[in-house]
């Protein structure tokens, strides 16, 4: 089945630094990937839709200059949190659409817990 | 606009008893409906989906869900709960008219007591 690998699983960084999170589709080519943010005990909030070879589509209220998304290949999308602040601390999850066969459901990465100190 | 409501923050059930986790949705076209489960500090695992066809959908780990168009509901059920079913459950909807965006409910924490 479709597998999505997300790295790192957790990261601690200092305020003002940037952090990159990778999302890879291991056994399929993902033309579309999604980035979500999850606050403690809350649901997943869609941040942006990442399309291979084009600019990401950001949801309303998400700062595109702060959350940089790059989808340079069919198997890799990256989310970079720039100039991180403690309020950016959260659980970030990516998902990918597998275009093979039944593509109604998406496969999720295992998530990245970001803590900004 | 799409939306999903999970009216219960938490559901408590005794092991061996049936469980139901509720979900209602709103979408402009035909809905694609999903249930996912999340364990602490982990990503989401797919349980089941409804796209079309039989209203009763069977999924992983003995879970099933019933699509009710008139009530716009897609409740998750299991005949006999296990302690290991304790987790956070998310209902999700996607507009079946062609969009790829999936919207999630707030989540329901299921606690199964031994």
């Amino acid at each position: 089945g479709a597998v999505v690998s997300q790295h790192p699983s957790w990261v601690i960084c200092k305020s003002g630094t940037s952090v990159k999170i990778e999302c890879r589709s291991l056994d399929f080519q993902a033309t579309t990937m999604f980035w979500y943010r999850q606050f403690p005990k809350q649901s997943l909030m869609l941040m942006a839709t990442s399309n291979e070879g084009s600019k990401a589509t950001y949801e309303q209220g998400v700062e595109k200059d702060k959350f940089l998304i790059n989808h340079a290949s069919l198997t890799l999308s990256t989310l970079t949190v720039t100039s991180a602040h403690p309020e950016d601390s959260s659980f970030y999850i990516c998902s990918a659409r597998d275009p093979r066969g039944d593509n109604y459901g998406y496969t999720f990465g295992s998530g990245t817990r970001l803590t900004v100190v | 606009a799409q939306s999903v409501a999970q009216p219960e923050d938490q559901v408590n059930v005794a092991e061996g008893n049936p469980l139901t986790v509720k979900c209602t949705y709103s979408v402009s076209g035909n809905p694609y409906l999903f249930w996912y489960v999340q364990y602490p500090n982990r990503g989401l695992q797919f349980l089941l989906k409804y796209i079309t066809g039989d209203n009763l959908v069977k999924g992983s780990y003995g879970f099933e869900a019933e699509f009710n168009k008139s009530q716009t509901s897609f409740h998750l059920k299991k005949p006999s709960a296990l302690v290991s079913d304790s987790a956070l459950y998310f209902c999700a909807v996607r507009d079946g008219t062609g969009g790829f965006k999936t919207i999630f409910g707030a989540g329901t924490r299921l606690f199964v007591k031994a």
Side-chain angles (χ1 to χ4, degrees), chain B residues 31-50:
Chain B
Y32 293 165
L33 295 158
F34 308 86
W35 275 102
Y36 292 89
V37 60
Q38 183 181 35
Y39 296 95
N41 292 313
R42 302 289 296 275
L44 273 66
Q45 296 179 32
F46 170 80
L47 281 180
L48 52 80
K49 66 178 183 292
Y50 171 83

Side-chain angles (χ1 to χ4, degrees), chain A residues 19-33:
Chain A
V19 174
K20 180 184 285 187
I21 302 170
E22 294 186 346
C23 181
R24 294 181 183 273
S25 56
L26 297 186
D27 55 351
F28 65 100
Q29 294 182 329
T31 54
T32 305
M33 291 185 174

Side-chain angles (χ1 to χ4, degrees), chain A residues 34 36 38 43-44 46 59 91 93 97 102-106 108-110 113, chain B residues 32 34 36 38 41-44 49 51 88 90 94 100-102 104-106:
Chain A
F34 304 87
Y36 292 85
Q38 185 180 28
S43 185
L44 282 73
L46 180 64
E59 295 299 301
F91 195 58
I93 305 176
R97 173 177 168 265
D102 178 354
N103 64 342
Y104 298 111
Y106 301 153
F108 285 80
S110 56
R113 180 157 302 284
Chain B
Y32 293 165
F34 308 86
Y36 292 89
Q38 183 181 35
N41 292 313
R42 302 289 296 275
L44 273 66
K49 66 178 183 292
I51 305 299
L88 187 57
F90 290 101
R94 183 147 58 91
F100 294 138
K101 188 186 302 185
T102 301
F104 287 82

